[in-house]
Amino acid sequence: LKRLIRLKINGETYEVAVEPRTILTDVIRDSLGFTGTKKACDMGNCGSCTILMDGKPVVSCLLLAMDAQGKDILTIEGLAKNGKLHPLQQAFIDHGAIQCGFCTPGMLLSAKALLDINPQPTEAEVKRAITGNLCRCTGYHKIVEAILAVAAENKGYA
Amino acid sequence: MKRRRAITNLTVDYLTGLPQFDIFTPITINEACSLLFKYKDQAKVFAGGTDLLISMKQKKANPKYLVNIKNIPGLDRIQNSEKDLKIGAMATLDSVSKDNFIRERFSLLSTACNRIGTPQVRNMGTIGGNICNAGPSQDTIPALLVLEAKLKLVSSQSERRVPISEFFIGPFETVLGQTELLTEIEIPGPPQGSLGTFQWITKLTETDETLVGVAVIMIIDETTSRCIDIRIGLCSVAPIPMRARRAEAALRGQRIESNAIEQCAQIAAEEISPRSRADYRRKMTSVLVKRSINDILHSTKIVQGGRL
């Protein structure tokens, strides 16, 4: 039996019909078309489905869509503002921190959550913040460099 | 979380997703307990979901009804006083690990919560869920065992407090009744002058299941360097989390020197009953007990009332 719920994603409110068993990843990707949120292990291990819920990184594959009502959700599509890339996105491009790109949305959101509460993290803190995001191209080094570069020039970072 | 069969699970679960169920979202403890009473073994409590949804995707659990307790106000509260600490069962692992009072006074519990899973899982998973899931390797338990925590279990008819040492009866089995809800974890203030630590090793990577977890708190007489009291809590080395009481007794009252520490660690390694990788787990138990005691010996900070 489907129920109507309201989800607030990237500042917009969407109304969708879901079953109790509907997983949030599927609503975000299939019903709403935000395919930047990836689905891979579906078990909460890989972090490719990471979104920010009320500012905190969570894996959307282990969340029921119904449970996300009333929460402020940010997906990768909401990171760039007015056609301008977020400093982290620009840094990932500049440092070659993207290979196949599958882990990138989750990596960026985990990094954003870190910098929001800790604008100038140490290298160890950066590595710890992305432990929940697997990169199978094993490009971790450049990802950490990119995040640290944003932290270093962290003037006016919101 | 078992990982060995991850590849086969991945294929199957991707195709099938979650089984059908219905969900209730009560907003009071009473309402939640009534639902549990009404549906008994057909219902499961749905907290953080990081363990339950995985079991359901893997078809290891197939509840007809979920009782979602996320929307009950106040169940995630962390209250502290000079006497004790009360942690609401729905407090996330992240909020427990980052709570300033817990970091200062009960740092081994903060360390243990911060060790579980990934940042994402810690933002979702709850301390109550970690306890009630009752796997042999749940990381919060050794710390709660040495802190002698009590669990507040509430049903629609009654309310009781169970010491955590009596809560577990087998792997994934507890004394929690079908219609009961764990609402709060009560932790007495740390013993005067006590110091503590949590040490662990994992199977492979940082986010893997704990292979051996050791929590130790000690009170040391600084002038004679005798061990006034010691408590050792272990996980992942027996069917249920346990205290190494014989090892504790061996060191209690003794002068703390390398022979005594060695003997204590050896007894702890003999006391456990690991089922798989037994030799390795015994060896690592001994290593981690030794490491914990030395860690405590070399830590110098004692704040009033103890710092764990």
Side-chain angles (χ1 to χ4, degrees), chain A residues 3 42-43 61 67 128, chain B residues 22 57 68 70 114 206:
Chain A
R3 299 175 204 184
D42 207 16
M43 290 288 167
C61 71
D67 249 357
R128 186 130 176 90
Chain B
D22 205 356
K57 284 184 178 185
N68 181 0
K70 284 197 190 88
N114 199 28
E206 171 162 337

Side-chain angles (χ1 to χ4, degrees), chain A residues 3 19-21 23 39 42-43 45 50 56-59 61-64 67 110 128-129 131-133, chain B residues 1 3 13-14 18-23 46 53-54 57 68 70 114 118-120 122-124 206:
Chain A
R3 299 175 204 184
E19 285 182 83
R21 65 166 178 165
I23 291 287
K39 185 166 169 176
D42 207 16
M43 290 288 167
N45 294 336
T50 299
K56 290 182 171 179
V58 292
V59 278
C61 71
L62 294 183
L63 276 165
L64 300 180
D67 249 357
S110 285
R128 186 130 176 90
T131 44
N133 297 85
Chain B
M1 203 193 309
R3 266 148 214 274
D13 292 318
Y14 187 78
L18 282 176
Q20 292 277 3
F21 59 85
D22 205 356
I23 188 163
F46 180 55
L53 290 187
I54 290 175
K57 284 184 178 185
N68 181 0
K70 284 197 190 88
N114 199 28
T118 63
Q120 289 93 321
R122 289 194 289 278
N123 282 328
M124 301 163 74
E206 171 162 337

